[in-house]
Amino acid sequence: MRILLVGASGTLGRAVGTELSQRHEVIAAGRNSGSIRIDLTDVASIQSALKQAGELDAVISAAGKVTFAPLAEFKPASYGESLHTLGISDKLLGQVNLALAARDYLRDGGSITLTTGILSEQPIVAGSSASLVNGAVEAFVRAAAIELPRGLRINVVSPNVLTEAMPSYAPFFRGFEPVSAARAALAFSRSVEGAQTGQVYKVF
């Protein structure tokens, strides 16, 4: 398969690339690194990256930024001024736009795999925006799965906090049992190389 991996240089993305490159051609893409540059907040950048990649069998997003802050810091505000703006524009709308654009570049039966995280159902202090965004992405995937044409499939991987990220995130995730990036990467393999669609693969 020819697979476009967005966020290939990140902790999760590197593990996904290692897993899938054993059997497939993985094209690394990212905002600041990779053979193809892509900014999920820029629709033109998404279109350009997909055009550069050419025909694909799978598109994976292992990327997406959100704001972590106490709920007290979130004030009623319009889009662009709200602390939710980063998560909505990047991890939510960015991944949705990637999925929508990918339809034109995927071969029949191809797949799209997005990324969320455990906070969609197990919230933490200062994680309200991440929970909001993750839940929205998962709802989109379930809905999109019943309408995609040409046998295209779409799934989402929802991992726990990664073992490799604990030096930075441990204070936020006390009591959580982290998972390795390599274990989370197996769920991406399941999405790309399996046959299911509309699934949320939880790696908790």
Side-chain angles (χ1 to χ4, degrees), residues 24-188:
H24 308 290
E25 177 188 354
V26 176
I27 304 164
R31 185 178 275 111
N32 300 306
S33 62
S35 57
I36 293 178
R37 299 301 169 88
I38 183 171
D39 180 352
L40 289 180
T41 66
D42 183 343
V43 174
S45 175
I46 292 172
Q47 294 282 9
S48 176
L50 287 165
K51 184 176 182 180
Q52 188 177 342
E55 279 198 339
L56 297 163
D57 298 290
V59 172
I60 295 172
S61 171
K65 296 181 178 180
V66 298
T67 297
F68 285 90
L71 188 65
E73 295 183 12
F74 286 83
K75 307 300 181 184
S78 59
Y79 183 78
E81 298 177 357
S82 170
L83 282 181
H84 288 298
T85 300
L86 174 62
I88 292 171
S89 65
D90 194 302
K91 193 171 187 180
L92 173 53
L93 192 56
Q95 291 197 103
V96 168
N97 281 335
L98 177 66
L100 295 174
R103 292 174 298 184
D104 296 331
Y105 296 89
L106 285 167
R107 297 180 177 122
D108 291 356
S111 71
I112 301 162
T113 308
L114 307 182
T115 299
T116 56
I118 194 171
L119 299 187
S120 61
E121 59 182 75
Q122 297 187 28
I124 61 169
V125 171
S128 65
S129 194
S131 292
L132 179 155
V133 166
N134 287 348
V137 172
E138 291 174 10
F140 167 76
V141 165
R142 291 188 186 97
I146 67 172
E147 293 192 63
L148 284 174
R150 300 185 292 106
L152 298 180
R153 300 181 299 106
I154 185 168
N155 298 299
V156 60
V157 176
S158 175
N160 201 341
V161 60
L162 300 179
T163 304
E164 294 86 346
M166 285 302 278
S168 299
Y169 286 99
F172 297 98
F173 288 90
R174 298 299 184 198
F176 286 73
E177 184 176 357
V179 300
S180 69
R183 182 184 164 201
L186 294 175
F188 288 86

